[in-house]
Amino acid sequence: MKKTSTRLADGRELVYYDLRDDTVRDAVDRRPLEPTVTTSEIRRDPLLGDSIAVASHRQGRTYHPPADQCPLCPSRGERLSEIPDSSYDVVVFENRFPSLAGDSGRCEVVCFTSDHDASFADLSEEQARLVLDAWTDRTSELSHLPSVEQVFCFENRGAEIGVTLGHPHGQIYAYPFTTPRTALMLRSLAAHKDATGGENLFDAVLAEELAGERVVLESEQWAAFVPYAAHWPYEVHLYPKRRVPDLLGLDEAARTEFPQVYLELLRRFDRIFGEGEPPTPYIAAWHQAPFGQLEEFDGVTRDDFALHLELFTIRRTSGKLKFLAGSESGMNVFINDVPPERAAERLREVASS
């Protein structure tokens, strides 16, 4: 992998990740852009104890542009985009309309391919590995920013999810705090460790799932399963079998095998509802240990946390979505219409090869 860092016309950082070491990236952003102005603010809810970002400047962000005006495609001729070069393998840049900025963290966009009409599932194993390497590098770089406590790499796919740009891409949020969902995991981890005399909860969950009926696929380095208490109609958790706290901890064997396993999962997701159905909308979310201090989680260290990816769709059956209505949105109590055992069975049935 070759990494080339540059700046856009308004001062934002852009980084090319290339498969070839001899690739030259010297294109200049020719757009007449003013410096980006953000109004991101973090506010803490005194009753729930969680934090929200207030970012009013995002109201003006790009919304469903036609394909020939996509800001994530390469720049060609007089058609100028966020990527100055005329081609790219993988590129990462600071979001022009970030939810988090400055002392409130940072937001980046990750473009998986220059092919506007592709999806992550269409990538080759070599391309998918390059995305993994980019995620890992950004996790490392962002973790060193003084305002950052946790790094979250994710992909939203599909208009049903709320995606406003059709180009295959994901995002990275670098939060200035430990997110509420991670804090819940850390508290459960601490309680289990205390109750069992030191057993790791992630290890126990993985071992139990591997011995059960909800395994979707398994390889030497990775395991994918539908969790016992899945929140979403079709939800898969992907774990490296050797516990590591973050993407930086993956060894070469796990990195090499990841593209095979992950691409297979994504292709199965697109087959859940049968031939002729539109692509399955999904969210793919990497859960990594925070880089901040963990004193509030008794006896838990970063190494106790288990890196894993959660992949789920909001589509519950053909033509129908799972809406977060009263119980889910009002009380955070999910009601799942698809038994996890049946979801796992279906995902085994639709093997892509």
Side-chain angles (χ1 to χ4, degrees), residues 114-126:
S114 60
D115 185 351
H116 180 85
D117 298 316
S119 69
F120 200 116
D122 295 324
L123 300 182
S124 67
E125 291 182 10
E126 185 181 38

Side-chain angles (χ1 to χ4, degrees), residues 18-75:
D18 286 295
L19 292 168
R20 292 174 55 96
D21 290 337
D22 60 352
T23 303
V24 176
R25 299 295 184 187
D26 56 7
V28 175
D29 185 3
R30 294 181 285 133
R31 297 172 298 170
L33 298 180
E34 295 293 328
T36 301
V37 177
T38 62
T39 56
S40 180
E41 176 188 0
I42 301 297
R43 296 186 181 183
R44 186 169 179 81
D45 186 317
L47 295 179
L48 298 179
D50 58 10
S51 299
I52 68 161
V54 179
S56 59
H57 62 277
R58 284 173 53 80
Q59 288 281 34
R61 66 188 186 274
T62 308
Y63 186 80
H64 291 300
D68 62 356
Q69 297 178 32
C70 174
L72 306 185
C73 287
S75 293

Side-chain angles (χ1 to χ4, degrees), residues 226-267:
V226 178
Y228 171 74
H231 289 56
W232 299 94
Y234 291 92
E235 174 181 340
V236 176
H237 292 190
L238 177 63
Y239 278 69
K241 288 185 175 178
R242 183 179 69 86
R243 173 166 44 91
V244 295
D246 51 41
L247 289 165
L248 285 72
L250 293 174
D251 60 20
E252 184 57 31
R255 292 180 182 280
T256 299
E257 203 175 83
F258 170 77
Q260 307 163 25
V261 176
Y262 188 49
L263 290 172
E264 172 69 14
L265 274 181
L266 293 180
R267 290 161 186 166

